[in-house]
Structure formats: structure tokens, C-alpha cells
Amino acid sequence: MNEKGISLSAHTMKVLIKRELISSIYGWGLYIAVFISFLLSSFILRNFMRGIGQNNIFISSYPLNLPLFISVVIISLYLVIVSAISISREKEHGTLEVLFYGPVSSSSFLLGKYITDMLLYVIILGFFAVYFLGVSLLTNLGFTLALGKAFLVSIFLASCMISFGLFISSLTGRVRSSIVWLIGILLAFLGIWFLENIFIHIPPESLSSWLLYIQKTLSVIYHFVNWVSPFSYLSRGMESIRIGSIKPFLLNIIYSTIYTVVLLLLSIYILKSKGVRA
Amino acid sequence: MDAIYTKNLTKEYDGFKAVDNLNLKVEEGQIYGFLGPNGAGKTTTMLMLLGILKPTQGEIRIMGESLSKNPLSIKKKIGVVSEKQYLYREMTAQEYLNFFADLYKVKNKKNRIEQLLAAVDLLDVRNRKLGAFSRGMQQKLGFARALLHEPELLLLDEPVSGLDPTGIKQVRDLIEKENKKGKTVFISSHLLSEVEKLCNKVAIINKGKLLAEETMENLRKKLTEFTQLEVELVEINKDILDALSSFEFIKEIHQEKNFLILKITTDKDHRAEISAAIAEKGGVVLGIKIREMSLEEAFITITQKNISLLASNKEATQ
Amino acid sequence: MRLKRASLIYNIIFLLILIPGLAITSSAQQEEKQPSINLTPLLKEQLVYSLNVFDGKGWSGSFVPKTESTIYLIANKDNAICAKKTLVYFWPITVRYIAAWRTLDEDVKGVLEVLKDGKIIEKLKKQDTVLCYPEGYWGEKVVLYKGNEAIKWYKKYKKAEDEYYKALNKYYEARIEYRKKMNKFFEEIKKRREKGEKGPLNIEIPKEPEPPKPPNFFVTEPRKYYVLNLPVGKYKIRLRAKDKTIVEGSEKELLVFTARRREGVGYEIIPGNRWTKREECNDPANAIYAAGKNVLYFRPYRQDEYNELYHNKLLDPQNRGRIENWKWVHTEPIKNVQLLLFSKDNLLKRIDKKPYKVEQIPGPELGYNIVEFKKGKLPGEKPTFEGYQLILSENLPEKSYRIYLQKEGENNNIISTSEREIRLVKRRNANFLFYLSIFPLIIGGVMFVLRYRKIEK
């Protein structure tokens, strides 16, 4: 793409992002998702404070990381749903076709969607910052450096979630099928994790050959899912903060970035080859 | 320079050719009608012209530039109105046009939007949510969107579909006005009546193939090459039918109760010859009427008397 | 067409699932047919390694089943290792293999070869090893001795033990003698009282013999082990039998590692209200969050930081851990220091280490008191623990404090890694958190009103 083409795409993305952001900001979805996440966090924090009251002390480098983790999980679910239906909804309503009448390409449209959702997450992070600062002032649970790190890592986790959602959305032409696919895939991930955990408690020598085959297969799939599921990146990221070591922290950021890039490229390719019609 | 130029344009879906070796040449400043029954391949062609569908084979040049090489800058020169308007229902008309004005980098967008909203009679409802717009209002807004960035080429797919007579007139006026400004207009329709008053040139497509490409004048001539005679008889027998069949100027005979509908050439008045032939075979002619054939009927004749088309024509004109 | 495509996708997914499983289980297919799941523990004879390894603080034992291919050791320390034949079974509840040593415990003979980069760098023969507990059998400290030193320590212990038993015999004899003297003493009193003597009788009270003290250390019986003491690196070990063949199943990887950080300061904290449930505050980034009235007893330790996976595997090769994680291991208590309590930059208090005694509250009430231990109350009585007492309360003027350690007698230098933050949490405000969670809805409402005003109805 030449310089003119790049600037045209950048302008297109900017306009698309502006429209989507305004649409999200004026909608209720964002605020309700953040409210639910804060409500759960408040519930956890209240129990946590009661726990400290009963045990008298609690030792931690990151006391607010668990509520933040819960908030990030809820928001991730919101983001993955929003992104999973974003393309399919435009396909289904035909608005995607109208956009493509103009100077919109698959890549500018998809990157626009991705950046919009990322900016949405940055706005949500603003809410997080206010909430956790309020929590810190109210409870004296410190707004620590680890929390700042968790904020930073969560951006990359949100990126994985959004790109995963966009990937699902690019595969489907209707909102309903996007949701069905998303739920199906997430349930499959959960099922594999559950089965793997059952099998790990059975000694290999107690299994018949076909059960052994299932166990080994599940183990392979489980490891595969660990790299495919965006939630794995979420738990790995939070773990890297818990560890407090810079290497896994940076590695997780790199892995998340690679995951995002791969999924976005795949989504662009799929959107190009499947077209803009539902 | 040709506004639209296609060479051997083909689109295949799993072995089925939706568009088959289509060669089009639309000159700059023309209003070009692209006619064909439903399923003829019009929309597929339009989508290929917009770069939304990739041709299986063939070349497309818009305003002299190859579409495959520089699709984005070409698309900025095109304004599109589709049959159905797909709108962001949560936006207002003003916001919707504002968004597209930004997308196309329209200069002095505030004035331009106001001017277009006034032209399509939507200025009073500019702050109303699009979800509350009627079909006609949506169609007019689609027109405003398509004209927003002053495109050099307008691609219109069934542009007056769903509009009331006033709306149709408004849109026609707009098209003519834009054409007078030097814009090329490409109108795709299955209704000849929709385009006959506007177009300089018309192409007829069916089953993906180009059947004819003519100036409106030539087409009118070709389409009116035949006329229909409605002959009322006391009784119709086989001898009469055989006698009439032997005339070269009679192209088709169709019987409806005691009426014979004859499609004949328009080179001269054949009514005397026909009455004589019927009388010779013992028939009693009660009356002969010339049945005027509209362009629409002529168009249907060319496109193989598509029954479904007839049905949809009725719907469209009701 | 769609159906065709979908079935193609399903076929591909099915194959993707099938192939890796088939590849992995191909070897397992050859085994005899078994019932689908057999949860009765199956005892299988295995060649395993029995270990007594340095764990950062002392020496601890574990075993390496066939399934574990790597043995983890700390560098430049003596580690005892021995190949044995035993019966092993899988215990699904803990997901671990367990050795049934009582059923079979047979030494495997041979020379242990240590290889680095494919070359043999050491050939080891078994030598005597003992574990010495210098603070007694229940003491925390353990030291491994090898060769003559091991025998010397064992003999020393045996001698001390023999002397103790001899002294104990003498003590029992002395007690019999003492009882006899006491009987005579009471008879004499009785006689003289019956005779009508009044007032003090001036009879000498027999002196009770004192029991001998047992040896204040313990040494295990000498056992023949190979002793590995290697620098950091990756090695291989294998056992070569007398007939020069390599004993099957004896080959293992050896990963020798060391601490990442040394000389850290960690704290064991005993909360006053639950002294048996102690907390650890090891990481310098840790903060101590306290609520309400609180009496805390701090016990500082020196500590080294090890890789979590390596150290967990060292303690038990079947343990799990993450290679990215690090863990602090307490090495020894820090002595001769004071605990300093700071509020911002102001020193509030210097706290000395004191002994404390946990006393049960008498009567039907459950509970206990922790009181300062005073010597001489009862003979042989010892304090329950020693520590630095810190009393916290919600009513303290500041909400955040810092503690440090400083060597006794010094006024300037503090031990830098000893710094920890203590934050007093405001429990009462916990319910206000729910009000805080409403603020996104308020912002949403404001946005809704702004939008609503713009739109024409």
C-alpha cells in the first residue's frame, strides 16, 4: 500500500472509530457491564475485609488484584461478546455493505473495530482507576505498583479477547450464529479443562488402552487450548503479576501481541474471502 | 474516457455463471440504464463494479482506472444507492450524513448536508432517529448519502423502489440535476418505465448475458418493431389459424376465447389482408383493434416473457 | 453445499483430534487388555532413587519414582542419593506415586557415574552418611555428615546416649533410695509425734535426685549413600553394575541450581489471636494489612530465594511448580537485632526480642493468653516462642507504618531488606464500596440525558 493509501486507511479508521465509540458511549451496555463488574468486586472486597477482620492480618503485595481480576474477567466477557457480534451485526443489517461502497477496506474496517474496542477498554480502565482509587481511600488497601502493572497487562489481555471476538465475528454472518459459536467454543474450552482435570487423577496404568488414548489426546488438546483460549492469556497475565518477575510479565505481553496479530490477520483474510454480505 | 468499462466480466458461483462475459462501456456524462429481470445478474455486476465482489474473470475500469489496482481511491469517486437502505438505526439523519461526510472527507460538510437534506425534503427531520424513518425517507436519505461527496459516477440500484410518486419525481429531478452537472449515472433496474424517461443508453441483461446495448432511441425503435392486433371473431377454427400462420408479417398468434391476439410487424397496415384471409376460411370478423404495446411489454418480449417479471411489474406499479 | 463444507470441517477437526492421540498411545496399544478403569492401587516394582538433599536450610528426604526423569539439587552442598528397588503405587487422591518401603527396600549395587556433556566426570562409591539434628530430634536444624565424620558423629551420639542411659539407671536407683529415705523420714516424724514431741522436729529432709538430661542432639544410624556435591549445571547420572552394564532405569537427568538472591530478610508473624496459624511475610514487596486491635509477634529470618519449580522438585520430585516463580526459603533466625517501628520518617519505637508463653485459660472457657515468659516459675519450663511484640489498633493516629531491623547497639544502619509496610485497613467502610460501584451507572445516565436532548422525538 502506498503512502496515500495508508493515509486514506488511517483516516477511514479514524472516522469508523469515532462513530463506534460515540455509539458505545451513548449506549447503556458499557456502563451496565462496568457496574456489574464493580458490584462483584465490591462484594468480594467486602468479604475480603471481613476476612482480614477475622484473621486480624493479611499479607500481600497485591491486595486489590483479585477484585481487579474479577472486574477484568467480567469486562472481558462483555468485550468478547461485543466484538463477536460487531462484524456479524453489520453484515446482518447490511451496514457493512454500505461502508464498503466507500473508501473502506477489510483491513481498515477490522482494525477500526479492534481499535474502537481497545479504546473502549481504555475508557473502562479509567473507570477502574477511579473505582480502585476510591477503594484504596475507603479501605486503605494500597493502590500499589502491582495494581498499575495489572492495569497494563490487562490491556494486552483485553486485546486477546477482542481479537478472539472479532475472529468469531468474521466467521459468521449473523448475530445469532456468532453468539452460538462463541458460547460453543467457550463451553468446549471449559469442557476440555474439566475433563483433563478428571483424567489427571486417574493413574495411567489403571486405564484401558482406549481411555489412555482419550487421556493423552485430551492432554494434547488441553495444551493446544492453553494457547488458543484468550482466557488462558488472562490467567497467565495475572499470574505473571503475582510472580512479580519481569520475564513472564514481558513474555506474556509478547505472546498476547502475537495472538492478537495472528487473529486479526486471520479475521481480515476471512472477511475478505467471505465478503461483506450475511 | 469511459466512466465504466468492463471486458469479459464473469462471476461464477460453484459452476453457475451469474455474469457471463459482460462487456459494458458507459461514457462519461451518460445516464445509462442497466435492465434485466430479477436474477439476471444486475446486482452481481453492481457489486463487482464496487469492488465488493471479486470477478472470476475479466477487467473493470472506472474513470479510466483499473478497479483491482486502486479500489479505495476509485470508490471515493462513486456514489451508490442500493434498492434497500441499510442505516444505523440509532443515528439521526444529520449524524448519519455527518459520518459519511467525514468518511469521504467532504469539504464544507455542514452546508453540503443541509443542502442535500433540503433537496430530498428531509431537513425538518434531520434530528430524528433513523429507526423511525419510513421506507421512502430512508431511500431519500440513501440518495443524499450517495451524493454527499459529489461523486463523478452514480451507481443506482432500483433507485425509486419504495418511493411515492412525489418521491419518485424528486429523485428523478435530482438525477437529472446531477447529470447536468456532468456526472455519469448508471441505473440498474428491472423496470424499463423507471429508466426510459432518464436514460440516454440502455443495456439489457438476462441470465448473466448482455442481450442488447442501445441508445434509448434505437431501443424504442427496436422494441416498437412489432404491434398487436386484437381480432374478435364469432368462432375460431383451425383453418383460420392455419391461414393466418402462413403470413410472414404475423410473428405470433395467441387465442383468448373468441379473440385472436396477433403480433405483427409495423412496416404497414395489414388489417385488410387479415380480414380477407379470415373471411375466405368462413370466419366472421366482429372487430379488429390495434393494441398499443408499451415499452415495458416490448422489453418483456425481448427478455423472453419472464412470468415472474410480470408479477413483480404489477407489484411495482401498484 | 454448506452441509458439505461443514462436514469437511468436522472431518478435519476429528482427524486433528485423532492423530496426536494415536501417535502417543501407539505404544500403549501393545499392552494387555484391562478393565476400563481400575482404581485399586497396583503395586509395581521399580528402581527409584532415595534422596537426602540440602533444601536451603537443612537436609530433607524424598524419593524419585520412575516417572520423574530429573533430580534437582542445590549446588556446592553435599547431597546423599541411593538407588533402591521398591514397590510403587499410584495414589489418585494426591496424584502421586508412593513407595511401599516396608514391603520392599533393597539397595541396588554399583558405581554411580556422573556425566557432563556426555563425559563421565565422577565415579562415586557409596559412603557412610548420617543426619545430625544438633538441636535434638524435634529441632528444626539438620546437618548431613559423610564418611569418617559421619561415623565420628554417630559414635559421639552413641556415647552420649549410652552415658545418658547409664545416668538414667543411676537415677532410677537413686529414686528408689530416695523413696526409702522418704518413708523413713515420715515414719520418724510419726514416731516422735506419737511420743508427744511438739514444735519443730529438726529431721533432715532427704534430697530428691535430679533426672539426667538426655543428649541435646540426635544422629541417625549410618547409611550407605552416594554423596553428590556439584557446581551449578546440567548433568546425567547412571548406575554401573559390577558386570559393567548400566543398570536399567538408573539413568536420570540432574539439574543443579543455586539461589537467585541471598541474605534476604523474611518474617514469620504470629497473630496474637491465633498463634498456631502463623503467617509469612517474605517478599520485600509484601505489605501487612491489619484490622482492629492486633498483637503481632515478629520472628525475623535470613532467607534465600530459589526458583519455585526447582525447589519444589527438590523437596519432592513429584511436586509441581512454575519455572517463572521464585520462592523464599528461611535459612536461619536473625539474632541480636531490634525491631524499629516508623511512622513516615519518625522512629516511634524500638522493640526487643522477648520470650513468650502461651497459657490456656483455666476453666470451661476455651482460649489462651500469650504472656511474657518469666524464668523460674516452674523447673524445666520453657517459653513457647520468642519474638518482637507489636501492638496495633484501629485508633492509631496514622494509617500506615513501616518496620525495619537494626543490629543491637547500632543507631544508624538498618538492615535494608528488612523493611515492610503495615497498613491498617478501615473495615467499617467496607459497605460503602457498593455505593462506589454505582458511579458507572451515573455516568451512563448523564450520557443518556445528553443524547436524549439531542434527538427529536
Side-chain angles (χ1 to χ4, degrees):
Chain A
M1 201 187 280
N2 58 24
E3 206 175 304
K4 206 176 161 188
I6 291 168
S7 100
L8 182 66
S9 293
H11 170 80
T12 307
M13 272 195 280
K14 203 174 113 185
V15 178
L16 292 175
I17 290 164
K18 190 179 155 192
R19 192 204 75 79
E20 291 255 352
L21 259 187
I22 290 172
S23 164
S24 300
I25 285 168
Y26 282 140
W28 275 104
L30 167 76
Y31 307 103
I32 289 170
V34 178
F35 165 69
I36 291 170
S37 77
F38 287 175
L39 203 65
L40 268 173
S41 291
S42 297
F43 182 73
I44 287 164
L45 274 164
R46 195 193 62 177
N47 287 349
F48 181 60
M49 296 283 285
R50 280 182 182 170
I52 296 179
Q54 279 163 7
N55 295 330
N56 276 24
I57 60 165
F58 172 71
I59 293 159
S60 173
S61 311
Y62 27 77
L64 294 179
N65 278 28
L66 178 68
L68 176 70
F69 181 78
I70 300 295
S71 298
V72 170
V73 168
I74 302 285
I75 291 303
S76 299
L77 282 171
Y78 164 72
L79 285 175
V80 84
I81 293 168
V82 163
S83 50
I85 60 171
S86 63
I87 303 173
S88 50
R89 189 178 51 196
E90 293 228 32
K91 271 188 191 174
E92 192 174 314
H93 292 179
T95 46
L96 185 60
E97 190 179 313
V98 179
L99 288 178
F100 275 66
Y101 292 161
V104 179
S105 64
S106 302
S107 48
S108 61
F109 174 75
L110 232 137
L111 288 176
K113 285 271 177 202
Y114 169 75
I115 296 169
T116 307
D117 290 348
M118 283 305 289
L119 287 175
L120 216 57
Y121 185 69
V122 172
I123 293 170
I124 291 169
L125 268 189
F127 279 107
F128 280 3
V130 173
Y131 174 77
F132 284 105
L133 206 66
V135 168
S136 181
L137 288 173
L138 277 173
T139 61
N140 202 31
L141 291 169
F143 196 97
T144 57
L145 181 69
L147 195 71
K149 271 188 185 176
F151 272 41
L152 179 70
V153 157
S154 72
I155 294 175
F156 292 91
L157 307 172
S159 162
C160 291
M161 287 289 173
I162 292 162
S163 48
F164 180 73
L166 289 175
F167 175 69
I168 300 275
S169 200
S170 68
L171 283 170
T172 52
R174 304 212 168 264
V175 172
R176 212 166 71 173
S177 35
S178 294
I179 297 286
V180 168
W181 268 94
L182 183 70
I183 292 171
I185 290 173
L186 294 182
L187 282 179
F189 287 164
L190 204 70
I192 288 161
W193 174 82
F194 183 70
L195 284 174
E196 158 79 6
N197 271 280
I198 287 176
F199 269 104
I200 208 167
H201 287 87
I202 304 170
E205 55 266 30
S206 302
L207 297 171
S208 65
S209 54
W210 67 271
L211 272 175
L212 190 70
Y213 152 71
I214 292 175
Q215 187 194 39
K216 298 287 180 190
T217 307
L218 265 174
S219 167
V220 171
I221 298 170
Y222 178 73
H223 284 99
F224 174 70
V225 164
N226 255 331
W227 291 103
V228 172
S229 164
F231 287 99
S232 305
Y233 291 83
L234 179 75
S235 51
R236 270 199 292 269
M238 295 315 267
E239 178 69 0
S240 76
I241 293 156
R242 195 190 65 76
I243 292 163
S245 167
I246 194 79
K247 195 181 160 191
F249 181 76
L250 289 177
L251 268 178
N252 197 62
I253 286 178
I254 293 168
Y255 291 152
S256 307
T257 312
I258 294 171
Y259 180 84
T260 302
V261 171
V262 169
L263 282 189
L264 284 180
L265 287 175
L266 274 174
S267 310
I268 292 170
Y269 173 76
I270 292 166
L271 187 62
K272 261 186 187 168
S273 50
K274 287 192 96 173
V276 297
R277 295 197 143 190
Chain B
M1 186 174 62
D2 293 325
I4 298 173
Y5 170 82
T6 71
K7 194 178 170 191
N8 300 330
L9 191 64
T10 305
K11 181 72 192 175
E12 252 185 72
Y13 293 104
D14 303 318
F16 167 73
K17 280 186 178 173
V19 176
D20 190 0
N21 277 306
L22 188 69
N23 295 309
L24 287 179
K25 210 174 172 202
V26 181
E27 283 164 31
E28 257 188 294
Q30 267 184 343
I31 302 183
Y32 192 95
F34 191 53
L35 294 170
N38 288 340
K42 296 190 303 294
T43 306
T44 308
T45 309
M46 289 276 276
L47 292 175
M48 283 195 284
L49 292 178
L50 286 164
I52 287 171
L53 281 183
K54 259 192 180 169
T56 314
Q57 188 193 304
E59 189 195 347
I60 301 171
R61 298 180 79 82
I62 307 276
M63 297 296 169
E65 281 184 83
S66 166
L67 183 69
S68 58
K69 281 182 189 160
N70 211 354
L72 292 187
S73 70
I74 288 176
K75 283 204 251 178
K76 285 197 87 175
K77 295 175 186 171
I78 307 173
V80 185
V81 180
S82 52
E83 184 185 2
K84 202 179 159 199
Q85 292 308 312
Y86 307 110
L87 308 167
Y88 294 106
R89 298 172 65 85
E90 76 282 2
M91 283 178 132
T92 63
Q94 173 89 37
E95 287 167 345
Y96 182 73
L97 292 181
N98 224 353
F99 164 58
F100 279 96
D102 285 340
L103 203 59
Y104 286 97
K105 292 186 184 174
V106 173
K107 282 173 192 161
N108 202 7
K109 65 174 180 182
K110 205 182 163 194
N111 285 347
R112 179 76 182 143
I113 290 168
E114 265 184 28
Q115 187 192 338
L116 282 167
L117 283 171
V120 291
D121 210 12
L122 292 175
L123 197 59
D124 293 341
V125 290
R126 63 179 162 183
N127 287 326
R128 195 182 287 180
K129 269 191 175 183
L130 300 183
F133 268 35
S134 69
R135 173 104 194 265
M137 286 157 93
Q138 289 183 8
Q139 193 71 5
K140 286 196 275 184
L141 187 69
F143 241 95
R145 180 197 29 83
L147 296 173
L148 201 57
H149 56 294
E150 309 244 22
E152 293 169 45
L153 172 66
L154 270 173
L155 294 182
L156 314 176
D157 189 9
E158 314 280 0
V160 291
S161 147
L163 290 182
D164 56 17
T166 326
I168 292 172
K169 194 181 175 312
Q170 275 175 337
V171 165
R172 279 187 186 149
D173 290 348
L174 256 174
I175 293 170
E176 275 175 348
K177 204 174 143 192
E178 293 299 319
N179 181 245
K180 272 177 194 160
K181 283 186 199 167
K183 282 177 189 143
T184 313
V185 185
F186 182 90
I187 308 174
S188 157
S189 178
H190 66 275
L191 293 174
L192 182 63
S193 55
E194 205 175 85
V195 298
E196 65 171 306
K197 284 169 195 150
L198 284 167
C199 295
N200 320 112
K201 201 172 179 183
V202 171
I204 297 169
I205 181 176
N206 194 28
K207 291 179 182 169
K209 283 191 172 164
L210 188 69
L211 298 180
E213 191 188 27
E214 297 287 346
T215 59
M216 203 58 223
E217 213 171 296
N218 281 348
L219 183 73
R220 205 169 273 134
K221 257 190 208 166
K222 276 193 177 177
L223 292 177
T224 52
E225 205 176 331
F226 301 99
T227 190
Q228 279 182 344
L229 282 184
E230 201 179 276
V231 185
E232 192 182 0
L233 295 149
V234 173
E235 198 183 2
I236 300 168
N237 58 43
K238 197 177 172 285
D239 292 342
I240 296 171
L241 290 174
D242 289 342
L244 292 177
S245 301
S246 64
F247 289 119
E248 268 191 20
F249 59 84
I250 297 179
K251 297 293 174 191
E252 253 181 57
I253 303 170
H254 185 62
Q255 187 181 342
E256 282 174 12
K257 291 180 185 169
N258 60 331
F259 284 89
L260 281 175
I261 315 294
L262 307 175
K263 187 180 163 191
I264 57 167
T265 54
T266 50
D267 49 347
K268 64 171 190 171
D269 193 348
H270 297 286
R271 278 179 289 186
E273 289 167 76
I274 291 166
S275 324
I278 293 170
E280 198 179 298
K281 296 294 174 191
V284 180
V285 177
L286 297 174
I288 297 180
K289 264 200 293 187
I290 296 174
R291 197 198 233 188
E292 284 296 330
M293 198 174 175
S294 69
L295 272 176
E296 208 65 61
E297 283 167 310
F299 167 60
I300 294 161
T301 312
I302 284 189
T303 55
Q304 317 291 308
K305 282 191 182 172
N306 194 315
I307 294 163
S308 64
L309 175 67
L310 276 168
S312 58
N313 277 354
K314 272 182 190 166
E315 269 175 26
T317 47
Q318 266 167 11
Chain C
M1 189 52 67
R2 268 189 187 174
L3 262 175
K4 219 175 173 184
R5 208 172 286 165
S7 79
L8 182 73
I9 291 166
Y10 288 129
N11 282 336
I12 291 167
I13 292 169
F14 182 70
L15 279 174
L16 280 174
I17 293 169
L18 201 73
I19 291 163
L22 279 176
I24 293 160
T25 49
S26 57
S27 57
Q29 300 286 329
Q30 293 159 4
E31 288 179 16
E32 75 273 22
K33 275 197 170 180
Q34 289 170 330
S36 46
I37 300 180
N38 178 5
L39 291 174
T40 320
L42 289 171
L43 284 163
K44 278 194 175 177
E45 194 180 297
Q46 271 187 21
L47 186 143
V48 301
Y49 279 98
S50 169
L51 308 173
N52 261 319
V53 293
F54 180 69
D55 60 12
K57 184 180 183 182
W59 273 261
S60 55
S62 63
F63 95 104
V64 188
K66 193 179 157 188
T67 46
E68 297 300 324
S69 58
T70 309
I71 297 171
Y72 295 80
L73 301 176
I74 289 177
N76 306 317
K77 292 281 177 185
D78 284 338
N79 295 287
I81 178 169
C82 177
K84 284 171 180 280
K85 265 188 188 165
T86 188
L87 296 177
V88 173
Y89 61 93
F90 185 80
W91 189 241
I93 295 161
T94 52
V95 200
R96 268 174 158 68
Y97 287 92
I98 293 173
W101 295 114
R102 286 185 186 176
T103 322
L104 180 66
D105 183 358
E106 186 185 310
D107 275 6
V108 180
K109 285 170 186 167
V111 174
L112 188 81
E113 293 179 348
V114 182
L115 294 94
K116 177 134 179 101
D117 302 326
K119 286 178 189 167
I120 298 171
I121 56 162
E122 268 188 86
K123 286 184 178 179
L124 298 172
K125 286 187 177 171
K126 280 183 185 170
Q127 54 179 314
D128 288 311
T129 58
V130 293
L131 286 178
C132 175
Y133 298 79
E135 291 166 356
Y137 187 77
W138 303 108
E140 287 179 12
K141 205 172 177 186
V142 194
V143 184
L144 177 91
Y145 291 110
K146 63 180 178 186
N148 294 336
E149 190 105 8
I151 301 298
K152 204 174 91 184
W153 271 97
Y154 183 66
K155 279 180 179 169
K156 191 179 168 185
Y157 172 69
K158 268 289 159 198
K159 196 181 162 197
E161 196 182 38
D162 288 347
E163 278 170 7
Y164 170 66
Y165 285 127
K166 271 180 199 167
L168 203 62
N169 276 338
K170 275 185 187 169
Y171 168 70
Y172 287 136
E173 281 164 13
R175 275 207 73 87
I176 294 166
E177 217 35 55
Y178 167 69
R179 269 191 211 124
K180 279 178 188 168
K181 279 180 185 172
M182 283 302 283
N183 289 343
K184 268 186 188 173
F185 170 73
F186 286 121
E187 276 169 20
E188 181 68 20
I189 292 171
K190 197 182 169 191
K191 242 188 241 171
R192 286 171 68 174
R193 292 287 179 217
E194 279 171 359
K195 277 181 185 171
E197 272 190 56
K198 285 180 180 171
L201 298 176
N202 291 329
I203 310 167
E204 197 188 342
I205 305 165
K207 209 178 173 188
E208 190 180 353
E210 274 205 20
K213 283 185 179 168
N216 57 2
F217 68 106
F218 173 77
V219 179
T220 59
E221 272 186 39
R223 301 187 96 172
K224 296 276 186 191
Y225 272 77
Y226 305 101
V227 178
L228 285 165
N229 188 329
L230 296 164
V232 173
K234 283 182 179 174
Y235 304 87
K236 270 185 185 172
I237 54 166
R238 64 190 183 203
L239 204 62
R240 198 169 285 277
K242 265 189 178 174
D243 59 2
K244 303 292 177 196
T245 57
I246 294 164
V247 179
E248 197 190 333
S250 69
E251 283 179 290
K252 296 277 175 196
E253 302 285 334
L254 203 64
L255 201 145
V256 182
F257 64 97
T258 190
R260 177 172 75 156
R261 283 189 280 181
R262 291 188 180 279
E263 298 294 308
V265 174
Y267 294 92
E268 184 185 71
I269 302 169
I270 303 173
N273 64 342
R274 49 181 181 103
W275 76 278
T276 49
K277 283 187 178 176
R278 301 172 182 199
E279 302 277 350
E280 284 196 356
C281 180
N282 296 331
D283 198 284
N286 280 165
I288 300 154
Y289 295 91
K293 193 177 179 305
N294 233 325
V295 183
L296 303 176
Y297 300 90
F298 287 79
R299 287 155 60 84
Y301 283 88
R302 293 213 178 281
Q303 58 181 11
D304 293 338
E305 196 184 27
Y306 290 97
N307 182 281
E308 187 199 79
L309 174 76
Y310 296 171
H311 196 267
N312 285 357
K313 289 271 187 188
L314 173 126
L315 293 177
D316 180 352
Q318 296 181 74
N319 271 347
R320 287 182 177 197
R322 286 194 62 167
I323 200 156
E324 306 90 354
N325 280 15
W326 295 87
K327 67 188 264 195
W328 289 101
V329 177
H330 290 176
T331 53
E332 56 175 347
I334 300 175
K335 288 169 186 168
N336 307 322
V337 287
Q338 283 183 311
L339 188 81
L340 311 184
L341 179 69
F342 276 81
S343 163
K344 291 171 185 163
D345 290 333
N346 304 320
L347 174 65
L348 299 179
K349 215 174 178 184
R350 281 179 178 275
I351 303 162
D352 288 310
K353 184 160 83 175
K354 285 179 185 166
Y356 293 93
K357 178 87 185 156
V358 179
E359 287 182 350
Q360 287 294 324
I361 295 170
E365 268 181 78
L366 291 172
Y368 58 85
N369 287 324
I370 299 176
V371 292
E372 198 179 323
F373 175 76
K374 302 281 181 206
K375 261 187 184 175
K377 262 189 172 179
L378 288 167
E381 195 185 21
K382 283 182 177 176
T384 316
F385 63 83
E386 287 185 330
Y388 299 84
Q389 189 195 52
L390 186 63
I391 301 169
L392 301 169
S393 127
E394 263 182 352
N395 305 323
L396 284 171
E398 298 294 331
K399 292 295 162 202
S400 179
Y401 296 88
R402 286 185 177 275
I403 54 163
Y404 297 89
L405 288 180
Q406 189 174 56
K407 283 204 170 169
E408 277 174 356
E410 285 189 12
N411 280 324
N412 292 323
N413 297 332
I414 49 159
I415 301 170
S416 60
T417 50
S418 65
E419 182 189 349
R420 296 290 188 279
E421 189 182 10
I422 299 173
R423 296 179 81 104
L424 306 178
V425 296
K426 302 172 197 168
R427 261 189 311 166
R428 284 173 200 161
N429 290 345
N431 283 332
F432 291 113
L433 295 172
F434 289 104
Y435 298 117
L436 200 60
S437 54
I438 298 169
F439 97 92
L441 288 183
I442 296 168
I443 305 277
V446 170
M447 298 312 286
F448 176 77
V449 171
L450 286 175
R451 176 76 181 144
Y452 190 75
R453 279 186 176 177
K454 262 190 174 181
I455 295 167
E456 190 185 292
K457 276 133 268 173

